[in-house]
Amino acid sequence: MSKYLVIVESPAKAKTIEKFLGKNYTVLASVGHVRDLPKSKMGIDIENEFEPAYINIRGKGPVLKELRKYAKKADKVFLATDPDREGEAIAWHLAFILGIDLDEPCRVTFNEITKATVKEAIKHPTTIKTDLVDAQQARRVLDRLVGYSISPLLWRKVRKGLSAGRVQSVATKMICDRENLINAFEKEEYWSLDFNFQNQDKLSFKASYIGQKGEKAVFKSESDVQKVMDDLDKSAYTVKSIQTKEKSRKPQACFTTSRLQQEASNKLGFSTKKTMIVAQQLYEGIKLPRVGSVGLITYMRTDSTRIADTAVAAVQDFVKEEFGENYLGPEVKVKNNKNAQDAHEAIRATDVMRTPESIEGYLTKDQNKLYKLIWERFVASLMAPAKFEALTVDIENGDHLIRSTGSTQVFDGYLKVYSFGTSTDKILPKLSEGEALSLEKILPEQHFTQPPARYTEATLVREMEEKGIGRPSTYAPTISTVISRGYVGREKKHLYPTELGNIINEIMENYFERIIEVNFTADMEMQFDQVEDGEMPWKSVIKTFYGPFESLIEKAEEDIEKVDLTEPTDIPCELCGNMMNIKHGRFGKFLACSNYPDCKNTKPILKKIGVTCPECGVGDIVERKTKKFKTFYGCSEFPNCNFMSWHKPVDKKCPKCSKTMIEYKTKKKHEYKCTDKECGYSEEISEN
């Protein structure tokens, strides 16, 4: 039996750490939380200062038995759970179960899982930070009070299985509010006026109309544009002035959790949940040749952009060696978000010398993509800005001003490393002041103002971060929850409220407006931070909240009328002849027999797209959803016909083989493609 026992959260992390520490150490995993509030009841003694009634989590018996067995025989137990509130709380619960005195230095934390860091941390254990634990308890108890008070109310007034949560309800409200803005938006017409010119060497370039007599033009109709075009015909086009400026673009700071989620969504197409799962794998340890299992990135739940001095020095040496001293950036000044805790470093590679190319063969495809993103951002953040020569050419025609701009990269700087950055040169031909230009083409174009865009996971995380809603550990689970509950749907990358989501949001707005108010939620986060800093007792936070909240619950119980989500139809049930009703389920609307429970027949509501099935020629193509709410298209005659497509079939036949076509759209392509892969015909779709 080993002298020392180290307890971590995950088996993968345990395996990595055990190899670092040697034969005197046994490393075991708690496999997450070991104690929590009971699921079957509130579990909070409201009359006794909101004391939580923790119980051992069901199914954890074998794990706890093993931990007790090894702890009993060990000379010392180290609790090495994650370095955040949640990890501190798990350590606190483990100390309770194993009978470890809270005054004993048993707590070990490390921001990265490398041999040197882990061994150094083991040499300097500390006591459990009870303020950190109390901050976690405050959040857990408050969320339990909200969830277990409002959710049963929704079951009674709407339908069973619904839930409301403090942060998830705010996220749902944000998505509903955005949809309301989109629906209320009234588009307005406007026009632009562009030109194709040729210089004296017959080289073409583009320019745009700016205005007349020093005033910027706003074209609201075709007649406005026509007046200017008529006036332009009276004079010639001449280069008025040429200005050249050097512009620089600085690299962005090293990743925080929310910035990583946003960039992984935008550049890699990862959901917030997927990003955190893959980041966890990189943090906990990947098996590499010669060194064995090692953590490749620092802890992935952080809101700080700070980088350790040793890591900064390592990157500076790497950049000098690889690219030269001129690629080194200026001294790093960390500017954190005003809500940042700065408890951890930014998310970075643990060893700059472990380049993405050198370990590509030992990572999965997704791990490699995310590691490359993190490594490149880490190195780029400490490099010199990219420099561009920006050219502005003003062209005059009478008292009309037309402008053309171009830019050329003169020094790549951090873009040498950061392949996810953009650097598109727009090069203008050689021009000189006073030069007469030939007009090739004048291009008036009609436009309409666009409504605000729906949130994507990335933009929702950004907004939540900016408004102080939630913390790095809560963004991904919050979004996953509102989608899994059926309150929010996802169309391609965009989030929209479902009918059920709108109903729940309306109830929350009418009866619990304070709970879902953005400022209130952000203020609660600040109070949790004060608890963590030892400035406020956690129970006083709950007490201040609960009095007004209890009154809201009582009023809602009295005032909310039962919502009937059942809609009658004239569709007969094929089993008993009674009419079917439209009902709401977790995955949307469905048909159910009105003679329930005597008849339990249910059917999906099929959304036809007006295309006959290309496989059987009998059924209609209908839109369906997977359990993860991803849209696909199938035949209404399923299971007799198994046609399925992720891309939308269209009412258009292939001119080559007469099979049905599908609409195929990516960032680079928008085209019709034949469903017969052997045919292979495709044609581009005009955006007009």
Side-chain angles (χ1 to χ4, degrees), residues 569-634:
T569 74
D570 56 0
I571 303 168
C573 172
E574 61 266 37
L575 298 185
C576 71
N578 285 284
M579 294 302 165
M580 304 288 276
N581 287 332
I582 296 174
K583 287 187 170 280
H584 289 256
R586 183 175 168 189
F587 301 107
K589 292 181 177 181
F590 65 96
L591 290 170
C593 183
S594 59
N595 196 29
Y596 179 87
D598 294 331
C599 178
K600 296 181 179 177
N601 184 28
T602 61
K603 292 168 62 178
I605 294 174
L606 302 178
K607 184 179 176 182
K608 298 178 182 179
I609 65 167
V611 179
T612 304
C613 176
E615 200 159 296
C616 69
V618 176
D620 294 302
I621 295 297
V622 295
E623 188 179 292
R624 297 182 185 272
K625 300 276 186 187
T626 67
K627 285 187 178 180
K628 292 187 176 179
F629 300 96
K630 189 174 179 181
T631 300
F632 71 98
Y633 302 90

Side-chain angles (χ1 to χ4, degrees), residues 165-221:
R166 187 177 57 86
V167 178
Q168 76 179 53
S169 296
V170 179
T172 303
K173 173 180 163 53
M174 289 169 69
I175 293 164
C176 289
D177 287 350
R178 178 59 60 90
E179 198 71 15
N180 291 337
L181 281 175
I182 293 168
N183 292 335
F185 183 82
E186 293 183 8
K187 64 182 181 181
E188 293 180 6
E189 180 185 12
Y190 71 98
W191 286 69
S192 62
L193 186 57
D194 293 329
F195 305 79
N196 282 352
F197 288 116
Q198 275 190 354
N199 71 348
Q200 290 177 350
D201 297 327
K202 303 297 181 186
L203 296 172
S204 298
F205 66 99
K206 286 188 174 182
S208 299
Y209 187 81
I210 301 299
Q212 188 176 11
K213 296 176 182 175
E215 288 189 18
K216 191 165 183 179
V218 178
F219 298 130
K220 292 188 175 180
S221 66

